[in-house]
Amino acid sequence: MTGNTQEGADARQPLPFMERTPLIAGNWKMNLDHLQAIALVQKLAWGLSDVRHDFSAAEVAVFPPFTDLRSVQTLLAADKLSLTLGAQDVSPHEAGAYTGDISAAMLAKLDVSYVLVGHSERRQGHGESDETVGLKARAAHASGMVPMICVGETAADLEEHGAAAIPVAQLTTALAQLPEDAEFVVAYEPVWAIGSGQAATPEQAEDVARALREHLRDLRGDDRAARTRILYGGSVASQNIAGFMRQPNVDGALVGGASLKVDEFTRIIQFQKHVTAG
Ligand code: PEP
């Protein structure tokens, strides 16, 4: 479990201690058809049973493309696998004339638990605003799922505003659309680190995660700030996962490319082995 030390934070009282179950999430992006998806989940399940992964110590979620969800859902249910199912996007609309969109109700019916909203590839490639991201988060919550709100600065933002300002602003606007009591996960993903092989340092990730958590105290109060999981994403690999997981405010990882390689993803999930090793 990760803790919530407030080293280096401002003069405020420390947050109440709250255990946060680490979450390792695999975003497959637009990869794998439904047959390949079944094969990957089967291999992952075997790999994790081999290493006797303790799912109560770290939750594992996979985010396949929409067309794979039904197949993966069926497999998880039939084989009673402890993996959690996520979707990569959702429509902000309930139903109707929105060709190509997938509603939150449709996803919930497939036992989807988490929905990515605001991934930088959707913000950049589909012009999604912070407000749209918030409306998507609200739609996911309204159907009983937990939105995973992705935030992160570009290289130009980093130069101009520093690391935390843009992620904090993105989160603030998105949360304005979400009911006060809604559960959510935050994924801090510096855009310059996604798919580049150039991950942030653990200290950079911790600085932004801590700033986000401090800001959550203002937006949602201490209890929600203490219980909300904040993940790091951007070129996470088995080589660097331990450094991120040692940070008090980083509660897991959103993994893109490496989640498609079963052995590598399994090693990432087994981060505890390396965390204590120093
Ligand atoms: C992502 O797609 O969210 C991501 C972090 O990708 P990668 O791990 O490949 O950088």
Side-chain angles (χ1 to χ4, degrees), residues 10-192:
D10 52 29
R12 292 165 125 183
Q13 291 296 310
L15 283 174
F17 179 77
M18 200 78 72
E19 281 196 344
R20 298 185 290 269
T21 303
L23 171 56
I24 304 294
N27 172 20
W28 297 358
K29 312 193 192 210
M30 195 173 71
N31 293 293
L32 310 185
D33 62 35
H34 69 289
L35 298 175
Q36 295 167 319
I38 291 170
L40 188 145
V41 170
Q42 282 174 331
K43 280 188 208 148
L44 182 61
W46 287 327
L48 291 174
S49 64
D50 251 17
V51 293
R52 296 205 180 85
H53 177 69
D54 174 6
F55 286 94
S56 65
E59 183 184 357
V60 181
V62 290
F63 291 71
F66 288 138
T67 52
D68 301 354
L69 287 172
R70 175 65 173 147
S71 304
V72 176
Q73 176 215 17
T74 306
L75 175 61
L76 297 184
D79 290 1
K80 297 188 174 46
L81 303 178
S82 305
L83 301 167
T84 315
L85 191 55
Q88 296 178 18
D89 189 31
V90 65
S91 171
H93 306 290
E94 256 179 58
Y98 301 101
T99 303
D101 277 11
I102 300 290
S103 77
M106 294 169 181
L107 297 175
K109 199 81 177 164
L110 290 169
D111 298 335
V112 167
S113 301
Y114 295 109
V115 181
L116 283 184
V117 294
H119 192 283
S120 67
E121 287 154 15
R122 296 219 53 92
R123 290 178 187 267
Q124 293 188 329
H126 299 265
E128 289 185 8
S129 67
D130 295 340
E131 196 190 8
T132 302
V133 172
L135 292 171
K136 290 182 170 201
R138 181 162 80 187
H141 168 74
S143 286
M145 298 175 291
V146 175
M148 185 178 287
I149 304 171
C150 302
V151 296
E153 82 288 359
T154 62
D157 294 332
L158 179 64
E159 197 145 302
E160 199 177 338
H161 308 284
I166 298 294
V168 164
Q170 289 172 335
L171 185 62
T172 305
T173 308
L175 286 185
Q177 306 295 334
L178 204 57
E180 281 282 320
D181 61 348
E183 183 188 346
F184 55 91
V185 175
V186 181
Y188 166 54
E189 299 206 299
V191 180
W192 48 268

